[in-house]
Structure formats: C-alpha cells, structure tokens
Amino acid sequence: AQSVTQLDSQVPVFEEAPVELRCNYSSSVSVYLFWYVQYPNQGLQLLLKYLSGSTLVKGINGFEAEFNKSQTSFHLRKPSVHISDTAEYFCAVRPKTGANNLFFGTGTRLTVIP
Amino acid sequence: DTAVSQTPKYLVTQMGNDKSIKCEQNLGHDTMYWYKQDSKKFLKIMFSYNNKELIINETVPNRFSPKSPDKAHLNLHINSLELGDSAVYFCASSQNPADIQYFGAGTRLSVL
C-alpha cells in the first residue's frame, strides 16, 4: 500500500523569500514521485517528476525537488517565490509495478504575501 | 487547443437526479482516468480506461459508471445523485498506464 503525507496544510511566505513544501511517503514497492500544482479554479498541472537518475530534479517555474530514499521524502523548494506561485501543491506517488494509480497527498496551500 | 477538456465546468443538481460529465483529450493518449477531489482537497482515483478496457475500478458506488465511446473520450455517468457526491471531478489522460498523467480543469458538482 502507498500513502503520501504533506505535513503542512498551509504555508504563508513573503514574496521573494525561499520556500520548502514537505512531502513524505510510504510504500511497500518502489515508486515514481510527482509534484502537481493547482492554481485557483484550474486543473492540476505537472510541476516536476522523479523517475530515475539524479535525485535533484528541476521543474517549471523555478521549482526543484530532491528525492531522499532513506528518508522517503520528496520535498519541493523554490529559492525566491512570486505572487503568482500562490496555489495548492500536491505531492503524489505511483508504484513502479502493479497498479498505475497516482496516490496523492492532501495538498499544501502556498500563499505568497506581497 | 486544450489538451484535456471537461464539460460542464460547474454542475448544480438535485438529489436523485442522473447526470453526466464529459471528458475529451486530443493528445492521442490510450489511457484516461477519473479522479474525485473532496471538500478537503483529497484526490482519489475512481476509474481508468486503457484502449476502452477498464483496468482500474476502485471501490466507488455502482451509481458511477464510466463510458468510453472511443479512446479520446471517457464520460462519467452518475445515477441517483446523493449529497455526498458533491466534489470536484477531474479527468486525466496518459500515453499508457505507466506514463505521466495530464489533467483537465475539473468539474465542480454540487448536489442540493
């Protein structure tokens, strides 16, 4: 079974400050990892993904995430946020074998304060 | 052109009614999905179709039925709507079951 935990339901941060959104997962099998972003009243958009290789992955809009297998984490970071980054961020995993479901965390609401 | 499109965007209806949500993708993908996002923003897979065959069927009520007239469409039919069905429903597609999933903008269903 898989589960994803996003410890922070809301993260307020001032504009141009750095931000880290935390994601931890548990799984009995190896997984692929994803971050999706949901802007207000819009669908989910893929931000970045980790499939294999380098554990530091870069995504769109200046975001990056680092896969840490020993800590089963995939935290999302951005060195300097903008107002336009205000959105809901979802961490998700998908098993490498078996069912191809995406399992989502409960989301983190990032609010960038001017 | 929108890659994955859903209609309608908003749907308000009475308990007991039957309704459908349409989904179309123009990406040429072989696999399509339906997800439900509840009031706490939790997203959960409902169904997926690969080449018109159901490959995942989570424990959702049988009042919900996916119908795929062709591989570009996966419509969601809901019979005898209940208050608890109120949620945002997202359609998604991928090239194959193991590939990246692309999401539509969602349909907000409100059952009164």
Side-chain angles (χ1 to χ4, degrees), chain B residues 6-97:
Chain B
Q6 299 177 225
T7 54
K9 190 168 184 177
Y10 300 97
L11 182 55
V12 181
T13 188
Q14 300 285 335
M15 280 177 54
N17 285 350
D18 303 336
K19 290 293 179 184
S20 296
I21 305 172
K22 295 184 177 180
C23 179
E24 176 182 5
Q25 54 93 5
N26 61 7
L27 298 168
H29 288 168
D30 287 336
T31 309
M32 296 183 72
Y33 311 80
W34 277 105
Y35 287 83
K36 179 180 180 180
Q37 185 179 43
D38 64 23
S39 58
K40 297 184 178 180
K41 298 271 186 176
F42 185 62
L43 273 152
K44 188 174 181 181
I45 184 77
M46 297 179 72
F47 302 103
S48 72
Y49 256 73
N50 183 38
N51 281 333
K52 298 180 68 175
E53 292 185 24
L54 184 66
I55 58 173
I56 302 173
N57 187 351
E58 294 295 314
T59 54
V60 299
N62 57 14
R63 299 181 294 103
F64 290 79
S65 57
K67 288 184 171 52
S68 180
D70 54 62
K71 79 170 191 177
H73 296 83
L74 183 65
N75 303 324
L76 183 64
H77 297 270
I78 315 169
N79 295 324
S80 303
L81 277 156
E82 300 177 357
L83 292 175
D85 298 332
S86 295
V88 182
Y89 293 85
F90 286 100
C91 178
S93 74
S94 63
Q95 183 61 49
N96 56 61

Coordinates of all heavy atoms in Angstrom, one line a residue, chain B residues 6-97:
Chain B
Q6 N -13.0 19.1 -20.1 CA -14.2 18.6 -19.4 C -15.3 19.5 -19.5 O -15.2 20.7 -19.4 CB -13.9 18.4 -17.9 CG -12.8 17.5 -17.5 CD -12.5 17.4 -16.0 OE1 -11.4 17.5 -15.6 NE2 -13.6 17.3 -15.2
T7 N -16.5 19.0 -19.7 CA -17.7 19.8 -19.6 C -18.8 19.0 -18.9 O -18.9 17.8 -19.0 CB -18.3 20.0 -21.1 OG1 -18.4 18.8 -21.8 CG2 -17.3 20.9 -21.8
P8 N -19.6 19.8 -18.1 CA -19.5 21.2 -17.9 C -18.4 21.5 -16.8 O -17.9 20.6 -16.2 CB -20.9 21.6 -17.3 CG -21.3 20.3 -16.6 CD -20.7 19.2 -17.4
K9 N -18.1 22.8 -16.6 CA -17.2 23.2 -15.6 C -17.9 23.2 -14.2 O -17.3 22.9 -13.2 CB -16.6 24.5 -15.9 CG -15.5 24.9 -15.0 CD -14.7 26.2 -15.5 CE -13.5 26.4 -14.6 NZ -12.7 27.6 -15.2
Y10 N -19.2 23.6 -14.2 CA -20.0 23.6 -13.0 C -21.3 22.8 -13.3 O -21.8 23.0 -14.3 CB -20.3 25.0 -12.6 CG -19.1 25.9 -12.3 CD1 -18.6 26.7 -13.2 CD2 -18.5 25.8 -11.0 CE1 -17.5 27.5 -13.0 CE2 -17.3 26.6 -10.8 CZ -16.9 27.4 -11.7 OH -15.8 28.2 -11.5
L11 N -21.7 22.1 -12.3 CA -22.9 21.3 -12.4 C -23.7 21.3 -11.1 O -23.1 20.8 -10.1 CB -22.6 19.9 -12.8 CG -23.7 18.9 -13.1 CD1 -24.7 19.5 -14.1 CD2 -23.2 17.6 -13.5
V12 N -24.8 21.9 -11.1 CA -25.6 22.0 -9.8 C -26.9 21.2 -10.1 O -27.6 21.5 -11.1 CB -26.0 23.5 -9.5 CG1 -26.8 23.5 -8.2 CG2 -24.7 24.3 -9.3
T13 N -27.3 20.3 -9.2 CA -28.4 19.5 -9.5 C -29.0 19.0 -8.2 O -28.5 19.2 -7.1 CB -28.0 18.2 -10.3 OG1 -29.1 17.5 -10.7 CG2 -27.1 17.3 -9.5
Q14 N -30.2 18.4 -8.3 CA -30.9 18.0 -7.1 C -30.6 16.5 -6.8 O -30.2 15.7 -7.7 CB -32.5 18.1 -7.3 CG -32.9 19.5 -7.6 CD -33.0 20.3 -6.4 OE1 -33.1 19.8 -5.3 NE2 -32.9 21.7 -6.6
M15 N -30.8 16.1 -5.5 CA -30.6 14.7 -5.1 C -31.5 13.9 -6.0 O -32.7 14.3 -6.3 CB -31.0 14.6 -3.7 CG -29.9 15.0 -2.7 SD -30.5 14.8 -1.0 CE -31.0 13.2 -0.9
G16 N -31.1 12.7 -6.3 CA -31.9 11.7 -7.0 C -31.8 11.8 -8.5 O -32.2 10.9 -9.2
N17 N -31.2 12.9 -9.0 CA -31.1 13.1 -10.5 C -30.0 12.2 -11.0 O -29.1 11.8 -10.3 CB -30.8 14.6 -10.8 CG -32.1 15.4 -10.7 OD1 -33.2 14.9 -10.6 ND2 -31.9 16.7 -10.8
D18 N -30.0 12.1 -12.4 CA -28.9 11.4 -13.1 C -28.2 12.4 -13.9 O -28.8 13.2 -14.6 CB -29.4 10.3 -14.0 CG -30.3 9.3 -13.3 OD1 -30.1 9.1 -12.0 OD2 -31.1 8.6 -13.9
K19 N -26.9 12.4 -13.9 CA -26.1 13.4 -14.6 C -24.9 12.8 -15.3 O -24.4 11.7 -14.8 CB -25.6 14.6 -13.7 CG -26.8 15.5 -13.3 CD -27.4 16.2 -14.4 CE -28.5 17.1 -13.9 NZ -29.2 17.8 -15.1
S20 N -24.3 13.5 -16.2 CA -23.1 13.0 -16.9 C -22.1 14.2 -17.0 O -22.5 15.3 -17.2 CB -23.4 12.5 -18.3 OG -24.2 11.4 -18.3
I21 N -20.8 13.8 -16.9 CA -19.7 14.7 -17.1 C -18.9 14.2 -18.3 O -18.6 13.0 -18.3 CB -18.8 14.8 -15.9 CG1 -19.7 15.2 -14.7 CG2 -17.7 15.9 -16.1 CD1 -18.9 15.2 -13.4
K22 N -18.6 15.0 -19.3 CA -17.9 14.6 -20.4 C -16.4 15.0 -20.3 O -16.0 16.0 -19.8 CB -18.5 15.2 -21.7 CG -19.9 14.8 -22.0 CD -20.4 15.4 -23.3 CE -21.8 14.8 -23.6 NZ -22.4 15.4 -24.9
C23 N -15.6 14.1 -20.9 CA -14.1 14.4 -21.0 C -13.6 14.0 -22.3 O -13.9 12.9 -22.8 CB -13.4 13.6 -19.9 SG -11.6 13.8 -19.9
E24 N -12.8 14.9 -22.9 CA -12.2 14.6 -24.2 C -10.7 15.0 -24.1 O -10.4 16.0 -23.6 CB -12.9 15.4 -25.3 CG -12.3 15.3 -26.7 CD -12.9 16.1 -27.7 OE1 -13.8 16.9 -27.4 OE2 -12.6 16.0 -28.9
Q25 N -9.9 14.2 -24.7 CA -8.5 14.5 -24.8 C -8.0 14.4 -26.3 O -8.4 13.5 -27.0 CB -7.6 13.6 -23.9 CG -7.8 12.1 -24.1 CD -6.8 11.5 -25.1 OE1 -5.9 12.1 -25.6 NE2 -7.0 10.2 -25.4
N26 N -7.2 15.4 -26.7 CA -6.7 15.5 -28.1 C -5.2 15.2 -28.1 O -4.5 15.7 -29.1 CB -7.1 16.8 -28.7 CG -6.4 18.0 -28.0 OD1 -5.6 17.8 -27.1 ND2 -6.8 19.2 -28.4
L27 N -4.7 14.4 -27.2 CA -3.3 14.1 -27.1 C -3.0 12.8 -27.8 O -1.8 12.4 -27.8 CB -2.9 14.1 -25.6 CG -3.0 15.4 -24.9 CD1 -2.9 15.2 -23.4 CD2 -2.0 16.5 -25.4
G28 N -4.0 12.1 -28.2 CA -3.7 10.8 -28.8 C -3.4 9.7 -27.7 O -2.8 8.7 -28.1
H29 N -3.7 10.0 -26.5 CA -3.4 9.1 -25.4 C -4.3 7.8 -25.4 O -5.4 7.9 -25.9 CB -3.5 9.8 -24.0 CG -2.4 10.7 -23.8 ND1 -2.4 11.6 -22.8 CD2 -1.2 10.9 -24.4 CE1 -1.3 12.3 -22.8 NE2 -0.5 11.9 -23.8
D30 N -3.7 6.7 -24.9 CA -4.5 5.5 -24.9 C -5.2 5.3 -23.5 O -6.1 4.4 -23.4 CB -3.6 4.3 -25.1 CG -3.2 4.2 -26.6 OD1 -3.9 4.8 -27.4 OD2 -2.1 3.6 -26.8
T31 N -4.8 6.0 -22.5 CA -5.4 5.7 -21.2 C -6.0 7.0 -20.6 O -5.4 8.1 -20.7 CB -4.3 5.3 -20.2 OG1 -3.6 4.2 -20.8 CG2 -4.9 4.8 -18.9
M32 N -7.2 6.9 -20.0 CA -7.9 8.0 -19.4 C -8.4 7.6 -18.0 O -8.6 6.5 -17.7 CB -9.1 8.5 -20.3 CG -8.6 9.0 -21.7 SD -10.0 9.6 -22.7 CE -10.4 11.1 -21.8
Y33 N -8.5 8.7 -17.2 CA -8.8 8.4 -15.8 C -9.9 9.4 -15.3 O -10.1 10.5 -15.8 CB -7.6 8.7 -14.9 CG -6.3 8.0 -15.4 CD1 -5.5 8.6 -16.4 CD2 -5.8 6.9 -14.8 CE1 -4.4 8.0 -16.8 CE2 -4.7 6.3 -15.2 CZ -3.9 6.8 -16.2 OH -2.8 6.2 -16.6
W34 N -10.6 9.0 -14.2 CA -11.4 9.9 -13.4 C -11.0 9.9 -12.0 O -10.8 8.9 -11.4 CB -12.9 9.5 -13.5 CG -13.6 10.1 -14.7 CD1 -13.9 9.3 -15.8 CD2 -14.0 11.4 -15.0 NE1 -14.5 10.1 -16.8 CE2 -14.5 11.4 -16.3 CE3 -13.9 12.6 -14.3 CZ2 -15.1 12.6 -16.9 CZ3 -14.4 13.8 -14.9 CH2 -15.0 13.7 -16.1
Y35 N -10.8 11.1 -11.5 CA -10.4 11.3 -10.1 C -11.5 12.2 -9.4 O -12.2 13.0 -10.0 CB -9.1 12.1 -9.9 CG -7.9 11.3 -10.3 CD1 -7.4 11.2 -11.6 CD2 -7.1 10.7 -9.3 CE1 -6.3 10.5 -11.9 CE2 -5.9 10.0 -9.6 CZ -5.5 9.9 -10.9 OH -4.4 9.3 -11.2
K36 N -11.7 11.9 -8.1 CA -12.6 12.7 -7.3 C -11.8 13.5 -6.2 O -11.0 12.9 -5.5 CB -13.6 11.8 -6.6 CG -14.6 12.6 -5.7 CD -15.6 11.6 -5.0 CE -16.6 12.4 -4.1 NZ -17.5 11.4 -3.5
Q37 N -12.1 14.8 -6.1 CA -11.4 15.7 -5.1 C -12.5 16.1 -4.1 O -13.4 16.8 -4.5 CB -10.7 16.9 -5.8 CG -9.9 17.7 -4.8 CD -9.2 18.9 -5.4 OE1 -9.8 19.6 -6.3 NE2 -8.0 19.1 -5.1
D38 N -12.4 15.7 -2.9 CA -13.4 16.0 -1.9 C -13.2 17.4 -1.3 O -12.3 18.2 -1.8 CB -13.4 15.0 -0.8 CG -12.2 14.9 0.0 OD1 -11.4 15.9 0.0 OD2 -11.9 13.8 0.6
S39 N -14.0 17.7 -0.4 CA -14.1 19.1 0.2 C -12.8 19.5 0.9 O -12.4 20.6 1.1 CB -15.2 19.3 1.1 OG -15.2 18.4 2.1
K40 N -12.0 18.4 1.3 CA -10.7 18.7 1.9 C -9.6 18.6 1.0 O -8.4 18.5 1.4 CB -10.5 17.6 3.1 CG -11.6 17.8 4.2 CD -11.3 16.8 5.3 CE -12.3 17.0 6.4 NZ -12.1 16.0 7.5
K41 N -9.9 18.7 -0.3 CA -8.9 18.7 -1.4 C -8.2 17.4 -1.6 O -7.2 17.3 -2.4 CB -7.8 19.8 -1.1 CG -8.4 21.2 -1.1 CD -8.4 21.8 -2.4 CE -8.8 23.3 -2.4 NZ -8.7 23.9 -3.7
F42 N -8.7 16.3 -1.0 CA -8.0 15.0 -1.2 C -8.5 14.4 -2.5 O -9.7 14.3 -2.8 CB -8.4 14.1 0.0 CG -7.7 12.7 -0.1 CD1 -6.3 12.7 0.0 CD2 -8.4 11.6 -0.3 CE1 -5.7 11.5 -0.1 CE2 -7.8 10.3 -0.3 CZ -6.4 10.3 -0.2
L43 N -7.5 14.0 -3.3 CA -7.7 13.4 -4.6 C -7.6 11.9 -4.6 O -6.6 11.4 -4.1 CB -6.7 13.9 -5.6 CG -6.9 15.2 -6.3 CD1 -5.7 15.9 -6.6 CD2 -7.8 15.0 -7.5
K44 N -8.6 11.2 -5.2 CA -8.5 9.8 -5.2 C -9.0 9.3 -6.6 O -10.0 9.8 -7.2 CB -9.4 9.2 -4.1 CG -9.3 7.7 -4.0 CD -10.1 7.2 -2.8 CE -9.9 5.7 -2.6 NZ -10.7 5.2 -1.5
I45 N -8.3 8.3 -7.1 CA -8.6 7.7 -8.4 C -10.0 7.0 -8.3 O -10.3 6.4 -7.2 CB -7.6 6.6 -8.8 CG1 -7.8 6.1 -10.2 CG2 -7.4 5.5 -7.8 CD1 -7.5 7.0 -11.3
M46 N -10.8 7.1 -9.3 CA -12.1 6.4 -9.4 C -12.0 5.3 -10.5 O -12.3 4.2 -10.2 CB -13.2 7.4 -9.8 CG -13.4 8.5 -8.7 SD -14.7 9.6 -9.3 CE -16.2 8.5 -9.0
F47 N -11.6 5.7 -11.7 CA -11.6 4.7 -12.8 C -10.4 5.1 -13.7 O -10.0 6.2 -13.8 CB -12.9 4.8 -13.6 CG -14.1 4.6 -12.9 CD1 -15.0 5.6 -12.6 CD2 -14.5 3.3 -12.6 CE1 -16.1 5.4 -11.9 CE2 -15.7 3.1 -11.9 CZ -16.5 4.1 -11.6
S48 N -10.0 4.1 -14.5 CA -9.2 4.4 -15.6 C -9.5 3.4 -16.7 O -10.0 2.3 -16.5 CB -7.7 4.3 -15.3 OG -7.3 3.0 -15.1
Y49 N -9.3 3.9 -17.9 CA -9.6 3.1 -19.1 C -8.4 3.1 -20.0 O -7.8 4.1 -20.2 CB -10.8 3.7 -19.9 CG -12.1 3.0 -19.8 CD1 -12.8 3.1 -18.6 CD2 -12.6 2.2 -20.8 CE1 -14.0 2.5 -18.5 CE2 -13.8 1.6 -20.7 CZ -14.5 1.7 -19.5 OH -15.7 1.1 -19.4
N50 N -8.0 1.9 -20.5 CA -6.9 1.8 -21.4 C -7.4 1.0 -22.7 O -7.9 -0.1 -22.6 CB -5.8 1.0 -20.8 CG -4.6 0.9 -21.7 OD1 -4.3 1.8 -22.4 ND2 -3.9 -0.2 -21.7
N51 N -7.4 1.8 -23.8 CA -7.9 1.2 -25.0 C -9.3 0.6 -24.9 O -9.6 -0.5 -25.3 CB -7.0 0.1 -25.6 CG -5.8 0.7 -26.3 OD1 -5.9 1.8 -26.8 ND2 -4.7 0.0 -26.2
K52 N -10.2 1.4 -24.2 CA -11.6 1.1 -24.0 C -11.8 -0.1 -23.1 O -12.9 -0.6 -22.9 CB -12.3 0.9 -25.3 CG -12.3 2.1 -26.3 CD -13.0 1.8 -27.6 CE -14.5 1.6 -27.4 NZ -15.2 1.5 -28.6
E53 N -10.8 -0.5 -22.4 CA -11.0 -1.5 -21.4 C -10.7 -1.0 -20.0 O -9.7 -0.3 -19.8 CB -10.1 -2.7 -21.6 CG -10.4 -3.5 -22.9 CD -9.6 -4.7 -23.1 OE1 -9.0 -5.2 -22.1 OE2 -9.4 -5.1 -24.3
L54 N -11.6 -1.3 -19.1 CA -11.5 -0.8 -17.7 C -10.3 -1.6 -17.1 O -10.3 -2.8 -17.0 CB -12.7 -1.1 -16.9 CG -12.8 -0.6 -15.5 CD1 -12.7 0.9 -15.4 CD2 -14.0 -1.1 -14.7
I55 N -9.3 -0.8 -16.6 CA -8.2 -1.5 -16.0 C -8.1 -1.2 -14.5 O -7.3 -1.9 -13.8 CB -6.9 -1.1 -16.7 CG1 -6.6 0.4 -16.6 CG2 -6.8 -1.6 -18.1 CD1 -5.2 0.8 -17.2
I56 N -8.7 -0.2 -14.0 CA -8.8 0.1 -12.6 C -10.2 0.4 -12.2 O -10.8 1.2 -12.9 CB -7.9 1.3 -12.1 CG1 -6.4 1.0 -12.5 CG2 -8.0 1.5 -10.6 CD1 -5.5 2.2 -12.3
N57 N -10.7 -0.2 -11.2 CA -12.0 0.2 -10.8 C -12.0 0.2 -9.2 O -12.2 -0.8 -8.6 CB -13.1 -0.9 -11.3 CG -14.5 -0.4 -11.0 OD1 -14.7 0.5 -10.2 ND2 -15.4 -1.2 -11.5
E58 N -11.8 1.4 -8.7 CA -11.7 1.5 -7.2 C -13.1 1.3 -6.6 O -14.1 1.2 -7.3 CB -11.2 2.9 -6.9 CG -9.7 3.1 -7.3 CD -8.8 2.2 -6.5 OE1 -8.9 2.1 -5.3 OE2 -7.9 1.6 -7.2
T59 N -13.1 1.2 -5.3 CA -14.4 0.9 -4.6 C -15.3 2.1 -4.6 O -15.5 2.7 -3.6 CB -14.1 0.4 -3.2 OG1 -13.3 1.3 -2.6 CG2 -13.4 -1.0 -3.3
V60 N -15.8 2.4 -5.8 CA -16.8 3.5 -5.8 C -18.2 2.9 -6.0 O -18.3 1.8 -6.5 CB -16.5 4.5 -7.0 CG1 -15.1 5.1 -6.8 CG2 -16.6 3.7 -8.3
P61 N -19.2 3.6 -5.6 CA -20.6 3.1 -5.7 C -20.9 2.8 -7.2 O -20.4 3.5 -8.1 CB -21.5 4.2 -5.2 CG -20.6 5.0 -4.3 CD -19.2 4.9 -4.9
N62 N -21.7 1.7 -7.4 CA -22.0 1.4 -8.8 C -23.0 2.4 -9.4 O -23.4 2.2 -10.6 CB -22.6 0.0 -8.9 CG -23.8 -0.2 -8.0 OD1 -24.4 0.7 -7.5 ND2 -24.2 -1.5 -7.8
R63 N -23.4 3.4 -8.7 CA -24.1 4.5 -9.3 C -23.2 5.3 -10.3 O -23.7 6.0 -11.1 CB -24.6 5.5 -8.2 CG -25.6 4.8 -7.2 CD -26.1 5.8 -6.2 NE -25.0 6.3 -5.3 CZ -24.4 7.5 -5.5 NH1 -24.8 8.4 -6.4 NH2 -23.5 7.9 -4.6
F64 N -21.9 5.1 -10.1 CA -21.0 5.8 -11.0 C -20.6 4.8 -12.1 O -20.1 3.7 -11.8 CB -19.7 6.2 -10.2 CG -19.9 7.3 -9.3 CD1 -20.5 7.1 -8.0 CD2 -19.6 8.6 -9.6 CE1 -20.8 8.1 -7.1 CE2 -19.8 9.7 -8.7 CZ -20.4 9.4 -7.5
S65 N -20.6 5.2 -13.3 CA -20.2 4.3 -14.4 C -19.5 5.1 -15.5 O -20.0 6.1 -16.0 CB -21.4 3.6 -15.0 OG -22.4 4.6 -15.5
P66 N -18.3 4.7 -15.8 CA -17.5 5.4 -16.9 C -18.0 4.8 -18.2 O -18.2 3.6 -18.3 CB -16.1 5.0 -16.6 CG -16.1 3.8 -15.8 CD -17.5 3.7 -15.2
K67 N -18.0 5.6 -19.3 CA -18.4 5.1 -20.6 C -17.4 5.8 -21.6 O -17.3 7.0 -21.6 CB -19.8 5.5 -20.9 CG -20.8 4.6 -20.1 CD -22.2 4.9 -20.6 CE -23.2 3.9 -19.9 NZ -23.1 3.8 -18.5
S68 N -16.8 5.0 -22.4 CA -15.9 5.4 -23.4 C -16.3 5.1 -24.8 O -16.1 4.0 -25.3 CB -14.5 4.8 -23.1 OG -13.5 5.3 -24.0
P69 N -16.9 6.0 -25.5 CA -17.3 5.8 -26.9 C -16.1 5.6 -27.9 O -16.2 4.9 -28.9 CB -18.1 7.0 -27.3 CG -17.7 8.1 -26.4 CD -17.2 7.4 -25.1
D70 N -15.0 6.2 -27.5 CA -13.7 6.0 -28.3 C -12.6 6.4 -27.4 O -12.8 6.9 -26.3 CB -13.7 6.8 -29.6 CG -14.0 8.3 -29.3 OD1 -13.2 8.9 -28.6 OD2 -15.0 8.8 -29.8
K71 N -11.4 6.2 -27.9 CA -10.2 6.3 -26.9 C -10.0 7.8 -26.6 O -9.2 8.1 -25.7 CB -9.0 5.6 -27.4 CG -8.2 6.4 -28.5 CD -6.9 5.7 -28.8 CE -6.0 6.6 -29.6 NZ -4.7 5.9 -29.8
A72 N -10.6 8.7 -27.3 CA -10.4 10.1 -27.0 C -11.4 10.6 -25.9 O -11.3 11.8 -25.5 CB -10.5 11.0 -28.3
H73 N -12.4 9.8 -25.6 CA -13.4 10.3 -24.7 C -13.6 9.3 -23.5 O -13.6 8.1 -23.8 CB -14.8 10.4 -25.4 CG -14.8 11.5 -26.5 ND1 -14.3 11.2 -27.8 CD2 -15.2 12.8 -26.4 CE1 -14.4 12.3 -28.5 NE2 -14.9 13.3 -27.7
L74 N -13.8 9.8 -22.3 CA -14.2 9.0 -21.2 C -15.2 9.8 -20.4 O -14.8 10.7 -19.7 CB -13.0 8.6 -20.3 CG -13.4 7.7 -19.2 CD1 -13.9 6.3 -19.7 CD2 -12.2 7.5 -18.2
N75 N -16.5 9.5 -20.5 CA -17.5 10.2 -19.8 C -17.9 9.5 -18.5 O -17.8 8.3 -18.4 CB -18.8 10.3 -20.7 CG -18.5 10.9 -22.1 OD1 -17.6 11.9 -22.1 ND2 -19.1 10.5 -23.1
L76 N -18.3 10.3 -17.6 CA -18.7 9.8 -16.3 C -20.2 10.0 -16.0 O -20.7 11.1 -16.1 CB -17.9 10.5 -15.2 CG -18.1 10.0 -13.7 CD1 -17.6 8.6 -13.6 CD2 -17.4 10.9 -12.8
H77 N -20.9 8.9 -15.9 CA -22.3 8.9 -15.6 C -22.6 8.6 -14.1 O -22.0 7.7 -13.6 CB -23.1 7.9 -16.5 CG -22.9 8.2 -17.9 ND1 -23.8 9.0 -18.6 CD2 -22.0 7.8 -18.8 CE1 -23.4 9.0 -19.9 NE2 -22.3 8.3 -20.1
I78 N -23.5 9.4 -13.6 CA -23.8 9.2 -12.2 C -25.3 9.2 -12.0 O -26.0 10.1 -12.4 CB -23.3 10.4 -11.3 CG1 -21.8 10.8 -11.7 CG2 -23.3 10.0 -9.8 CD1 -21.3 12.1 -11.0
N79 N -25.8 8.1 -11.5 CA -27.2 7.9 -11.2 C -27.6 8.2 -9.8 O -26.8 8.0 -8.9 CB -27.6 6.4 -11.6 CG -27.4 6.1 -13.1 OD1 -27.6 7.0 -13.9 ND2 -27.0 4.9 -13.3
S80 N -28.8 8.6 -9.6 CA -29.4 8.8 -8.3 C -28.4 9.6 -7.4 O -28.0 9.1 -6.3 CB -29.7 7.4 -7.6 OG -30.6 6.7 -8.4
L81 N -28.1 10.8 -7.8 CA -27.1 11.6 -7.1 C -27.4 11.8 -5.6 O -28.6 11.9 -5.2 CB -27.0 12.9 -7.8 CG -26.1 12.9 -9.0 CD1 -26.4 14.0 -10.0 CD2 -24.6 13.0 -8.5
E82 N -26.4 11.8 -4.8 CA -26.5 11.9 -3.3 C -25.7 13.2 -2.9 O -24.8 13.6 -3.6 CB -26.0 10.7 -2.6 CG -26.8 9.4 -3.0 CD -26.2 8.2 -2.3 OE1 -25.2 8.3 -1.5 OE2 -26.8 7.1 -2.4
L83 N -26.1 13.7 -1.7 CA -25.3 14.9 -1.2 C -23.8 14.6 -1.2 O -23.0 15.5 -1.5 CB -25.9 15.2 0.2 CG -27.3 15.8 0.3 CD1 -27.7 16.0 1.7 CD2 -27.5 17.0 -0.6
G84 N -23.4 13.4 -0.8 CA -22.0 13.1 -0.7 C -21.3 13.0 -2.0 O -20.0 12.9 -2.0
D85 N -22.0 13.1 -3.1 CA -21.3 13.1 -4.4 C -20.8 14.5 -4.7 O -20.0 14.6 -5.7 CB -22.3 12.7 -5.5 CG -22.8 11.2 -5.3 OD1 -22.1 10.4 -4.7 OD2 -23.9 10.9 -5.7
S86 N -21.1 15.5 -3.9 CA -20.6 16.8 -4.2 C -19.1 16.8 -4.1 O -18.6 16.5 -3.0 CB -21.3 17.8 -3.2 OG -22.6 17.9 -3.4
A87 N -18.5 17.3 -5.1 CA -17.0 17.3 -5.2 C -16.6 17.9 -6.5 O -17.4 18.3 -7.3 CB -16.5 15.8 -5.1
V88 N -15.2 17.9 -6.6 CA -14.7 18.3 -8.0 C -14.2 17.0 -8.6 O -13.4 16.3 -8.0 CB -13.6 19.3 -7.8 CG1 -13.0 19.7 -9.2 CG2 -14.0 20.6 -7.1
Y89 N -14.6 16.8 -9.8 CA -14.2 15.6 -10.6 C -13.2 16.0 -11.6 O -13.5 16.9 -12.5 CB -15.4 14.9 -11.1 CG -16.3 14.3 -10.1 CD1 -17.3 15.1 -9.4 CD2 -16.2 13.0 -9.6 CE1 -18.1 14.6 -8.4 CE2 -17.0 12.5 -8.6 CZ -17.9 13.3 -8.0 OH -18.7 12.8 -7.0
F90 N -12.1 15.3 -11.7 CA -11.0 15.6 -12.6 C -10.9 14.4 -13.6 O -10.8 13.2 -13.2 CB -9.7 15.8 -12.0 CG -9.6 17.1 -11.3 CD1 -9.8 17.2 -9.9 CD2 -9.3 18.3 -12.0 CE1 -9.7 18.5 -9.3 CE2 -9.2 19.5 -11.4 CZ -9.4 19.6 -10.0
C91 N -10.8 14.7 -14.9 CA -10.4 13.8 -15.9 C -8.9 13.9 -16.2 O -8.4 15.0 -16.1 CB -11.2 14.1 -17.1 SG -10.9 13.0 -18.5
A92 N -8.3 12.8 -16.5 CA -6.9 12.9 -16.9 C -6.6 11.8 -18.0 O -7.4 10.9 -18.2 CB -6.0 12.6 -15.6
S93 N -5.5 12.0 -18.6 CA -5.1 11.0 -19.6 C -3.6 10.8 -19.6 O -2.8 11.7 -19.2 CB -5.5 11.5 -21.0 OG -4.7 12.5 -21.5
S94 N -3.1 9.7 -20.2 CA -1.7 9.4 -20.3 C -1.5 8.6 -21.5 O -2.4 7.9 -22.0 CB -1.1 8.7 -19.1 OG -1.7 7.5 -18.9
Q95 N -0.3 8.6 -22.1 CA 0.0 7.8 -23.3 C -0.2 6.3 -23.0 O -0.8 5.6 -23.9 CB 1.5 8.0 -23.7 CG 1.9 7.3 -25.0 CD 1.0 7.8 -26.1 OE1 0.9 9.0 -26.4 NE2 0.5 6.9 -26.9
N96 N 0.2 5.9 -21.9 CA -0.1 4.5 -21.4 C -0.2 4.5 -19.9 O 0.0 5.5 -19.3 CB 1.0 3.5 -21.9 CG 2.4 4.0 -21.5 OD1 2.6 4.1 -20.3 ND2 3.3 4.3 -22.4
P97 N -0.6 3.4 -19.3 CA -0.9 3.4 -17.9 C 0.4 3.8 -17.1 O 0.2 4.2 -15.9 CB -1.3 1.9 -17.6 CG -1.9 1.5 -18.9 CD -1.1 2.1 -20.0

